[in-house]
Amino acid sequence: MKFFEFISQNSLEILSLTREHIFLVFVSTAIAVGIGVPLGILLTRNESLKMPVLGFANIMQTVPSLALFGLLIPISFIGIGATAAIIALTLYSFLPIIRNTVTGISGVDRKVKEAAVAMGMTDLQILKMVELPLAAPVILTGIRVAVVIAVGVATIAAAVGAGGLGTYIFRGLRQNDNNLLLAGAVFSALLALLADLALGQIEKSYSLEGLRNRGSATRRKIIAAAVGLIAVAVFAFPYVSRIVQTSENTQGKIVRIGSKDFTESVILAEILAQILENKGIHVERNLELGGNLAHEALLSDQIDVYPEYTGTAFTAILKNDPINDPAKVLELTKKQYKDRFDLQISPPVGFSNDFAILVRGDAARKQNLRTISQAVPVSKNWQAGFGQDFMSRADGYEGFRKAYGFDFAKQPREMDLALTYRALASGELDIIAGNSTDGLIDSLDLVQLADDKRFFPPYQAVFVARNDKLELLKIVFDNIADSISTAEMRKMNYEVDGKNRQPSEVAKEFVAKRFFAQQ
């Protein structure tokens, strides 16, 4: 599909994501200006505060955005979604606003301030009538930089369920879809350029030349600013309304469903959500949460349930040594989740999504590779690439390498899992660790090598739920148990990753056929 055709077909969703992006940037920048400018003024009056305040702002700038989101989620009143994103974006915006406020006011000519004092002006009058007007261009430059930074960082907010154009970027990486990547990147860049241009014009009007010609244009600028604020409010209203509506519904029958940030997890979450909705239960979706955020959100009461895998829960979350008995892993995981977290594990959904050691189809056919052991002798000069999750887990790279005796001459590249598929298909990598049910395996002509030494533990798909929602979920869990085969799951993943369909649409077809065909 051509890019412009994609834009045309998805214009409503792009508009919705753009509105969410603007809302996040506008609110966070407004808060940062409301706090940062007065704080900057205070620093010009109290030099002893400069070092600690600017030091804090500098530290906030250096903290990786996804790490900051992860640190905010366990705080009960923040959690996932727009609140976490707005707080993080506000913290990122402080430095340029505070620093430029200090620089602008400190840079006002001393003789001008002395003349104001000689005229009998108070400190407050000097601030309002002399310092702030003269410092305005510098302060506005700081706000301009903060807005551009916020537009860029807001793309990461999609990882915590806050929406915005980053949703397309993460989805594009996961589905190997350049149209999604381009749409997210292009519209984010356009937002940044438009914001920079608009603020640049306002900044220019506060220059000395602009101040001379300002009188005749003041009314027009006030009207333009008002129209701009109204437009932002119109964009933001549906987003705020949805938040308020969700808050109002929390007193009734509502289930907050989360998912991880890959296709299969989103589909499973959608299947659960749509079954619940068919039963008249209100559902709040918090999908595509990056890293370990789904588990953290569950513990902090931000979501009620999300799809998980027994092997991941057993090794990565509970920190147990890997074992390869599926029944034993399930039994121990259920017990330890109940004892340690007071969480419930559902019956298995029916399939396992095991780690899949993948090579290109042409390489596998040329060297007749069917098992992982057969790849060891020919892999000396291969470039391996693995996701951060695989590199850090007990059932990941180190254990895998030792179990099979791999001795790569080149250091394996640690990178985003979705990008490893693209790199393998393009020849940049020779071997990766993916997931056995991924639709990209078929669409990119990759081959999964058999785990002939049975190193990897079983990864049965289950749902993890909070105890207080178990009564609502139990019947649904029993219905879903053993309902999805590995072949069916891979097919659904392929419909999304290979054919670029929406996870909700694919889930709807499955739910209608499997659970409600007789109705």
Side-chain angles (χ1 to χ4, degrees), residues 415-437:
M415 54 196 295
D416 180 80
L417 177 60
L419 292 176
T420 63
Y421 282 90
R422 296 168 69 93
L424 178 62
S426 66
E428 294 295 319
L429 299 177
D430 300 297
I431 185 171
I432 68 170
N435 300 309
S436 61
T437 57

Side-chain angles (χ1 to χ4, degrees), residues 219-265:
R219 183 174 296 177
R220 289 198 303 271
K221 286 177 181 175
I222 292 173
I223 293 172
V227 170
L229 287 172
I230 292 169
V232 170
V234 170
F235 271 115
F237 179 75
Y239 194 58
V240 176
S241 297
R242 189 163 68 248
I243 295 172
V244 172
Q245 183 180 12
T246 297
S247 176
E248 290 173 350
N249 284 328
T250 55
Q251 301 304 319
K253 284 188 175 181
I254 180 171
V255 176
R256 300 164 299 172
I257 299 178
S259 82
K260 297 187 179 183
D261 61 342
F262 57 91
T263 299
E264 182 171 291
S265 188

